[in-house]
């Protein structure tokens, strides 16, 4: 079969050592062509897994074996039931697409944000959110699926792949513009839970109203010495040579294997209960409410789900036990988050606080 023209291709073994795929077909390397490393999921536990309810995109790394950039590049991705033999686009369970203005020569760096990586979304604009119906429709309901990607240029006079028609054959073995990777959709994650108990003190004399606030800690600037010492005091957190995470050399041990700590951006859900009170009423005023301007209330320029959660505390005389339930759907080992539990007066002045860390262990 004559070679298919064009400089664009999906490298079967990107990141391998050595990398043998230079865009020539048939591919002669060791990596199976149905496990194309240039295709990955984003939004789930790893490159080949996502979950029911998870906002998921498809990341496709486009390589260019030519000497000049290729312009007006498009990628179509097709989620399929597992198959052997010849399948077609009209059999897709879900479709996603993305595009970039140009792809430079080469394959780019290993980072997911590299300019060679095209993000594919449903209708080009919204994440794919797998449903229970899609999971149940897989063979035996086990969640196994195939992901096919096709890259092409729409530039004038370009002869570099093409958009596939509904009844066209997929040709991942013979066409360098196409690739396949096996993926799995998992059931919706059970949220990990962590419970912390502490004493809630009554309001000081002369203060009528207090709040208990759960305030996110921005760890992106790094850990202080006290925070670091607290973490390494736990037997499952180790300190060694500088690792590949966001928190330097710290790692969490999972079944004896170290996973570098990194700062998670997943939302935390908090629920407070206090003896004899139950769940104190939630204060839903946001940071821009007039009651919070000009006082001592801290500002939180994070995403919406990282805003503090405040509870109004009714008056009481003696210290009471508080019980905080923290939930997260974060499941990547090494994911680190922190929240300050702060009692404040009506002007936002801090009366006392605790810091709570969560470390995901898988």
């Amino acid at each position: 079969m004559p070679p298919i023209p064009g400089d664009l291709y999906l490298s079967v073994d990107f990141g391998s050592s050595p990398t043998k795929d230079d865009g020539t077909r048939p591919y002669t390397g060791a990596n199976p062509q149905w496990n194309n490393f240039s295709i990955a999921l984003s939004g789930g536990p790893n490159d080949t897994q996502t979950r029911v309810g998870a906002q998921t995109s498809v990341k496709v790394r486009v390589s260019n074996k030519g000497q000049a950039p290729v312009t007006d590049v498009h990628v179509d991705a097709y989620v399929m039931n597992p198959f052997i033999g010849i399948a077609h686009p009209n059999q897709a369970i879900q479709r996603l697409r993305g595009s970039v203005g140009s792809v430079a020569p080469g394959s780019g760096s290993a980072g997911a944000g590299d300019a060679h990586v095209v993000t594919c979304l449903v209708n080009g604009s919204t994440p794919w959110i797998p449903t229970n119906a899609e999971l149940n429709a897989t063979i035996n309901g086990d969640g196994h699926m195939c992901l096919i990607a096709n890259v092409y240029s729409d530039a004038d006079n370009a002869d570099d792949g093409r958009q596939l028609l509904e009844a066209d054959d997929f040709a991942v073995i013979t066409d360098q513009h196409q690739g396949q990777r096996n993926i799995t959709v998992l059931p919706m994650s059970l949220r990990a839970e962590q419970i912390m108990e502490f004493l809630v003190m009554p309001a000081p004399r002369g203060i009528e109203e207090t709040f208990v606030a759960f305030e996110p800690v921005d760890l992106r600037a790094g850990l202080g010495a006290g925070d670091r010492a607290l973490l390494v005091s736990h037997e499952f957190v180790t300190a060694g040579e500088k690792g590949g995470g966001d928190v330097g050399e710290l790692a969490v041990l999972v079944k004896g294997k170290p996973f570098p700590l990194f700062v998670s951006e997943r939302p935390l859900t908090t629920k407070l209960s206090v003896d004899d009170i139950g769940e104190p009423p939630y204060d839903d005023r946001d940071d821009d409410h007039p009651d919070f301007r000009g006082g001592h209330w801290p500002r939180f320029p994070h995403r919406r789900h990282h805003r503090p959660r405040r509870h109004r505390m009714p008056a009481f005389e003696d210290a009471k036990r508080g019980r905080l339930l923290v939930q997260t759907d974060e499941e990547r080992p090494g994911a680190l988050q922190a929240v300050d539990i702060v009692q404040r007066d009506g002007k936002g002045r801090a009366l006392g606080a605790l810091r709570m860390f969560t470390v995901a262990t898988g």
Side-chain angles (χ1 to χ4, degrees):
M1 183 176 180
I4 295 174
D7 290 330
L8 299 178
Y9 69 103
L10 303 184
S11 175
V12 175
D13 55 10
F14 176 83
S16 300
S17 181
T19 299
K20 295 198 68 174
D21 192 359
D22 60 2
T24 302
R25 297 293 180 267
Y27 166 72
T28 59
N31 190 45
Q33 282 188 253
W34 49 89
N35 187 32
N36 192 303
F37 290 163
S38 290
I39 304 172
L41 296 175
S42 178
N46 53 51
D47 285 354
T48 60
Q49 292 181 325
T50 187
R51 287 193 181 276
V52 170
Q55 296 195 24
T56 306
S57 61
V58 175
K59 304 285 189 176
V60 179
R61 179 179 298 276
V62 180
S63 297
N64 176 1
K65 64 182 179 181
Q67 301 299 312
V70 177
T71 60
D72 201 5
V73 175
H74 298 258
V75 176
D76 295 331
Y78 306 85
V79 181
M80 312 281 294
N81 265 317
F83 65 89
I84 58 174
I86 304 300
H88 315 282
N90 58 15
Q91 296 172 302
I93 297 168
Q94 187 60 263
R95 302 168 190 238
L96 304 90
R97 68 173 188 264
S99 62
V100 290
S102 68
V103 172
S107 296
S109 66
D114 186 84
H116 287 75
V117 177
V118 179
T119 299
C120 297
L121 301 165
V122 177
N123 296 320
S125 59
T126 59
W128 170 38
I129 303 178
T131 64
N132 277 314
E134 290 173 333
L135 172 62
N136 295 335
T138 59
I139 308 300
N140 297 324
D142 59 11
H144 293 308
M145 296 180 177
C146 291
L147 189 57
I148 306 289
N150 177 57
V151 60
Y152 58 96
S153 172
D154 250 355
D156 293 341
N157 302 318
D159 187 11
D160 212 332
R162 63 179 180 85
Q163 187 172 25
L164 299 177
L165 303 177
E166 288 294 289
D168 280 342
D169 296 342
F170 288 128
V172 298
I173 302 298
T174 58
D175 189 343
Q176 70 271 20
H177 299 89
Q178 298 182 28
Q180 175 181 340
R181 195 164 195 187
N182 296 334
I183 62 171
T184 303
V185 173
L186 304 173
M188 185 174 291
S189 176
L190 296 175
R191 296 175 69 85
E193 296 184 349
Q194 186 170 339
I195 295 172
M196 183 174 184
E197 294 188 349
F198 50 90
L199 290 177
V200 181
M201 299 300 177
R205 184 176 302 174
I207 296 178
E208 297 182 358
E209 182 179 51
T210 63
F211 297 81
V212 173
F214 304 109
E215 301 174 354
V217 179
D218 190 353
L219 299 175
R220 292 171 296 183
L223 291 173
D227 291 338
R228 184 184 182 281
L230 175 63
L231 286 168
V232 299
S233 70
H234 294 274
E235 61 182 11
F236 58 86
V237 176
T238 65
E241 296 181 1
K242 185 171 178 61
D246 300 335
V247 196
E249 73 282 9
L250 299 187
V252 60
L253 292 176
V254 180
K255 297 181 179 179
K257 180 180 179 181
F259 290 84
L261 294 189
F262 67 94
V263 178
S264 171
E265 291 293 320
R266 296 287 183 92
L268 289 175
T269 300
T270 59
K271 185 175 182 179
L272 173 67
S273 62
V274 179
D275 284 355
D276 302 323
I277 296 174
E279 184 175 3
Y282 173 55
D283 183 78
D284 59 1
R285 293 171 294 177
D286 62 27
D287 291 348
D288 293 323
H289 192 280
D291 289 353
F292 296 115
R293 295 175 186 166
H296 298 270
W297 293 98
R299 308 292 292 183
F300 296 90
H302 304 326
R303 295 183 304 183
R304 181 66 185 175
H305 65 246
H306 282 167
R307 296 290 176 86
R309 183 176 177 88
R310 288 181 288 259
H311 293 271
R312 289 177 180 268
M313 296 301 300
F316 57 91
E317 294 183 357
D318 298 316
K320 296 185 181 296
R321 185 184 66 165
R323 185 174 184 270
L324 175 65
L325 172 67
V326 177
Q327 294 179 309
T328 177
D329 61 1
E330 179 62 83
E331 55 191 13
R332 296 169 294 171
L336 176 68
Q337 294 174 287
V339 61
D340 284 339
I341 308 167
V342 188
Q343 186 180 35
R344 295 184 180 276
D345 66 11
K347 296 292 185 181
R349 289 177 291 231
L351 305 175
L354 296 168
R355 176 160 293 184
M356 179 180 183
F357 285 96
T358 69
V359 179
T361 55

